[in-house]
């Protein structure tokens, strides 16, 4: 038995709110595929059907400003096909010049000039691409990039947030393909006309309240069309039919000839066959969330909620400023770790998931992350320390929460000449990413928290005695019982120490000699195996490292 809800049945052409006209075709989508769009925020409604495009909206009213004339307004706002005299007749004006500042003019929206108004990419995470309508080529999409009418955004394992001309946002799910068919604005009216086709996947939209009369936001899927002005709802289209969940306002839903109003808190499924097979259900209530501080100054922190019998929950974390998805997760637990969030303001939506994947009413939690980095405590090496390694290990201790750090090494105390550093890491030790030449250096640890808070430790001095790089044997040439070997040159070496042994571990050295150049001749006993290795020498305290042993054999 269907639940008792305030459902209003509507007949064709008698609608004052938004209508979703859904025409279901057998075999349009594969059995496993599902196109989803979650649509939010608008104002008002207009009747619309898939087989019949939206009719011309009602008039837009313009108020004359001081210094403006009727003819001037007509020239600036009207298409070339709509003249000032035609507008005067439409407003029953016998003398257009008598219209004064503060008086209003009715202008049919169809007469207004339209101009292209590109959208802008607000944020990208993961792998996503854009196909240009002009060239047809796919390329990686980037934050700040413009989207023109006809362009297609394709997401793979990533998501994309798009801002429209009126400030509305569209969040495109991973695994989606979205075509921006129309992106235009009606002159100075502030009204926009946005038409999008969701080919596969899903989107979530936050549509700003629209100016009554002509503004339009319309999404088409392979099986449905949705025109949005003033509500929040989710819609999925698959092979079985269309499925609706309303979280704010009311949505008129059904086939073009028999739509019904579905209020917030309810969902409806329309299977193939029309209204007779429509099922209406109450959505699971929003989970009750535990209180969070308005501002989070330390991590780790988690958001918890009370279970309501659901097996799984869906959690969306959205950047409050840009509307960009930060994270979407499904969990069987009743809490979520908020670690890893950068400083900023966020909205978290928690909703129960039914067994068929339908989401319930969302609980909304808004909070701000404001982490501050603190200067790390330096441990090793000690100040004024001397080390032999050209890549010494640096150690420190964090003093704050959720911090990461890197070591910076410079030849001057002001760090204008940083010669080496380590990668950013949450560990408390690191080695520089490049070898240090012998000499004196200054080093410090830079910590970062929340993505934009940075602190710097004290500075310490370090002397690197240094080691020379290992010397590798390049080749060995055999002539009778003699073998001549050649090795790499080291520009910092004053000579090379050569060792010969019958033991690959060189525990028993047969011969040791200092050689000035990079070659030497050795006379060996036939039938025995020998090993040779070298290291560079200097006149100072710098020590060379032994290169790998090279096997020698004379038959």
């Amino acid at each position: 038995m269907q639940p008792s809800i305030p459902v209003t049945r509507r007949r064709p052409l008698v609608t004052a709110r938004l209508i979703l006209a859904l025409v279901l075709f057998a075999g349009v989508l594969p059995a496993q595929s599902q196109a989803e769009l979650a649509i939010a925020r608008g104002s008002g409604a207009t009747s619309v059907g898939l087989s019949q495009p939206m009719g011309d909206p009602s008039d837009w009213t313009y108020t004359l400003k001081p210094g403006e004339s009727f003819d001037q307004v007509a020239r600036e706002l009207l298409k070339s096909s709509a003249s000032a005299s035609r507008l005067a007749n439409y407003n029953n004006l016998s003398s257009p010049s008598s219209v004064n500042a503060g008086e209003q003019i009715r202008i049919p929206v169809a007469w207004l000039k339209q101009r292209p108004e590109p959208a802008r990419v607000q944020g990208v995470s993961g792998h996503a691409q854009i196909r240009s309508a002009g060239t047809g080529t796919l390329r990686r999409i980037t934050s700040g990039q413009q989207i023109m009418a006809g362009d297609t955004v394709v997401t793979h394992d990533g998501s994309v947030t798009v801002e429209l001309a009126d400030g509305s946002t569209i969040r495109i799910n991973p695994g989606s393909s979205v075509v921006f068919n129309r992106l235009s604005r009606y002159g100075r009216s502030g009204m926009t006309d946005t038409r999008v086709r969701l080919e596969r996947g899903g989107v979530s939209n936050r549509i700003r309240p629209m100016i009554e009369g002509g503004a339009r936001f319309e999404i088409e899927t392979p099986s449905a069309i949705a025109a949005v002005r003033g509500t929040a709802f989710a819609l999925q289209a698959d092979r079985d039919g269309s499925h609706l969940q309303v979280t704010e306002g009311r949505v008129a839903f059904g086939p073009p000839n028999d739509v019904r109003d579905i209020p917030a808190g309810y969902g409806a499924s329309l299977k193939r066959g029309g209204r007779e097979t429509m099922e209406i259900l109450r959505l699971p209530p929003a989970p009750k969330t535990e209180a969070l501080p308005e501002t989070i100054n330390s991590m780790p922190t988690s958001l918890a909620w009370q279970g309501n019998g659901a097996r799984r929950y869906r959690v969306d974390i959205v950047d409050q400023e840009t509307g960009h998805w930060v994270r979407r997760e499904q969990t069987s637990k009743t809490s979520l770790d908020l670690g890893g969030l950068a400083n900023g303001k966020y909205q978290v939506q928690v909703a129960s998931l039914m067994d068929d994947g339908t989401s319930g009413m969302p609980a909304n939690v808004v909070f701000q992350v404001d982490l501050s980095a603190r200067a790390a405590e330096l441990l090793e090496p000690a100040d004024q320390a001397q080390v032999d390694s050209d890549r010494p290990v640096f150690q420190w201790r964090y003093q704050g929460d959720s911090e990461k750090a890197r070591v910076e090494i410079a030849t001057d105390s002001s760090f204008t000449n940083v010669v080496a550093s380590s990668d950013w890491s949450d560990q408390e030790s690191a080695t520089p990413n490049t070898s240090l030449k012998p000499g004196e250096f200054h080093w410090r640890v830079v910590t970062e928290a929340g993505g934009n808070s940075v602190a710097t430790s004290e500075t310490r001095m370090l002397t690197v005695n240094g080691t020379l790089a290992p010397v590798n044997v390049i080749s060995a040439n055999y002539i009778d019982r003699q073998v001549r070997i050649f090795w790499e040159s080291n520009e910092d070496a004053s000579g090379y120490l050569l060792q010969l042994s019958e033991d690959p571990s060189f525990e028993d050295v047969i011969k040791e000699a200092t050689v000035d150049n990079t070659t030497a001749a050795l006379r060996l006993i036939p039938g025995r195996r020998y090993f040779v290795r070298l290291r560079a020498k200097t006149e100072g305290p710098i020590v060379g490292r032994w290169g790998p042993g090279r096997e020698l054999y004379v038959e």
Side-chain angles (χ1 to χ4, degrees), residues 33-243:
S33 68
Q34 175 169 304
E36 175 181 345
L37 53 114
I39 302 161
R41 306 260 180 228
S43 65
T46 300
S47 175
V48 56
L50 184 62
S51 59
Q52 171 183 322
M54 294 180 67
D56 287 340
S58 57
D59 298 342
W60 175 60
T61 302
Y62 181 78
T63 303
L64 255 68
K65 297 179 177 62
E68 288 183 330
S69 67
F70 182 91
D71 287 344
Q72 176 187 352
V73 170
R75 285 194 304 271
E76 292 181 358
L77 298 181
L78 298 182
K79 297 178 180 177
S80 58
S81 58
S83 63
S85 59
R86 187 180 175 188
L87 183 62
N89 291 334
Y90 188 81
N91 284 270
N92 299 317
L93 296 174
S94 57
S95 177
S97 59
S98 63
V99 179
N100 298 316
E103 295 183 340
Q104 295 182 333
I105 305 170
R106 291 181 300 111
I107 306 175
V109 172
W111 295 7
L112 289 169
K113 292 178 181 178
Q114 277 187 280
R115 69 171 187 267
E117 196 73 37
R120 185 179 65 87
V121 178
Q122 270 196 332
V124 180
S125 61
H127 184 205
Q129 295 175 296
I130 184 170
R131 178 182 290 111
S132 169
T135 64
T137 57
L138 268 174
R139 64 186 187 278
R140 183 173 290 275
I141 195 168
T142 58
S143 182
Q145 183 172 347
Q146 284 191 339
I147 298 176
M148 312 301 291
D151 288 352
T152 302
V153 174
V154 180
T155 59
H156 302 283
D157 62 353
S159 63
V160 177
T161 302
V162 177
E163 182 181 28
L164 304 177
D166 63 352
S168 299
T169 56
I170 300 177
R171 295 195 301 269
I172 304 174
N173 293 359
S176 301
S177 177
V178 177
V179 183
F180 290 82
N181 287 326
R182 176 172 294 186
L183 297 166
S184 60
R185 182 190 291 273
Y186 290 98
R188 289 190 291 151
S189 68
M191 293 183 294
T192 57
D193 186 353
T194 303
R195 304 183 203 183
V196 175
R197 178 173 175 81
L198 175 63
E199 296 183 321
R200 66 175 185 274
V203 294
S204 292
N205 307 299
R206 185 163 56 112
I207 307 305
R208 294 175 64 96
M210 294 183 178
I211 298 173
E212 293 293 338
R216 181 187 301 187
F217 179 84
E218 186 175 297
I219 295 184
E220 178 188 359
T221 73
S223 63
I225 189 169
V228 181
R229 288 180 185 274
T231 188
F233 63 95
L235 177 67
Q236 304 87 39
D238 57 27
R239 186 174 180 178
D240 294 330
S242 297
H243 316 283

